[in-house]
Amino acid sequence: MTNTTAPRRIRRLAERQTTDRDELFELLDTELVGHLVAVADGTPIVVPMGFARVGEHVYVHGSTGGGFALRAAAERSTVAFSVTALDGLVFARSLFDSSMNYRSAVVYGVLEPVDDEQADAALLALSERLMPGRSAEVRAMTRKETAATRVLRLALDDVVMKRRAAGASEDPDDGEDHAVWAGVVPLGRAWGAPEPSPLTPEGTPIPDSVLALTTGRGRVDRLL
């Protein structure tokens, strides 16, 4: 179950709610950006950020001067963290019946600061999630950089997940003109060709981490 304490229920189209833990993990492990929501001084604040799932927690990080997230953690106020994957557009025979195929999850809870002993491992987990293998190719963080970074985590105890994975609503006797095309246009994503920075010398080999990300293969002999 994605909620083991007080299950939240989706009211509209409740049949689209899922409590499958593996589906939740797949969503969190394939998407790169989520939206953290908190209330500060009576005003809702939404910030998109990279994240990583480690076990039963979602990890996010930011500057120690970032403000609202650290304040929410200090005040132990409830926040929400949402992640959505758009899988395709559904073209029906009316605009009213047209839709999207998607998977979405919202995690509710209290942000917990990761202590200093676990911070390095948490930052490495975030790095490996977003840029696998990159940490072995670059210099270590300085003491100043580490001090300016704070890692927070949110337990996956209170989660609601919803999905749509179907074609256009249609029936042989629905009275619609079936000569009008209906169906699904899947949405695919792919990484583009690596673009070196202006200060990267010409001929510098593309690192393994970038090749693995953009080609899905191991290192090959390619240059910028």
Side-chain angles (χ1 to χ4, degrees):
M1 297 290 289
T2 54
N3 190 329
T4 58
T5 53
R8 299 176 187 266
R9 297 298 178 191
I10 294 175
R11 295 183 180 181
R12 184 175 183 277
L13 301 175
E15 69 277 7
R16 294 183 183 173
Q17 181 170 1
T18 177
T19 57
D20 187 282
R21 201 71 171 174
D22 289 337
E23 287 192 38
L24 172 65
F25 289 168
E26 181 182 9
L27 172 64
L28 297 178
D29 292 346
T30 53
E31 294 303 305
L32 300 177
V33 175
H35 290 78
L36 181 65
V37 184
V39 176
D41 298 324
T43 301
I45 298 175
V46 182
V47 176
M49 56 181 60
F51 72 96
R53 179 187 70 88
V54 180
E56 295 290 329
H57 290 82
V58 165
Y59 284 73
V60 298
H61 78 95
S63 168
T64 53
F68 88 100
L70 292 178
R71 178 175 173 181
E75 296 177 350
R76 298 199 57 77
S77 57
T78 299
V79 301
F81 187 76
S82 69
V83 179
T84 301
L86 178 61
D87 297 320
L89 293 178
V90 181
F91 286 70
R93 294 188 175 88
S94 72
L95 295 181
F96 179 82
D97 289 329
S98 296
S99 187
M100 295 179 173
N101 280 342
Y102 63 89
R103 290 160 292 141
S104 66
V106 181
V107 185
Y108 299 91
V110 175
L111 288 168
E112 303 172 347
V114 175
D115 60 38
D116 292 340
E117 294 181 358
Q118 298 177 320
D120 288 345
L123 286 171
L124 179 60
L126 279 162
S127 171
E128 286 300 303
R129 172 67 190 91
L130 299 173
M131 301 176 181
R134 186 58 171 165
S135 62
E137 301 168 344
V138 296
R139 65 168 176 79
M141 290 179 61
T142 66
R143 187 176 296 180
K144 181 179 180 180
E145 289 170 340
T146 300
T149 306
R150 173 67 79 177
V151 182
L152 303 170
R153 70 178 189 175
L154 186 62
L156 296 173
D157 294 333
D158 186 0
V159 184
V160 61
M161 183 173 178
K162 190 176 182 181
R163 66 178 179 182
R164 187 189 193 279
S169 299
E170 60 182 357
D171 186 89
D173 301 320
D174 57 17
E176 298 284 357
D177 180 2
H178 292 169
V180 176
W181 190 90
V184 175
V185 179
L187 176 63
R189 294 181 298 179
W191 297 106
E195 300 175 357
S197 76
L199 296 183
T200 300
E202 184 177 354
T204 299
I206 298 176
D208 290 353
S209 63
V210 175
L211 289 173
L213 183 68
T214 57
T215 68
R217 297 181 281 114
R219 195 189 192 292
V220 295
D221 189 17
R222 290 179 58 189
L223 301 179
L224 296 177

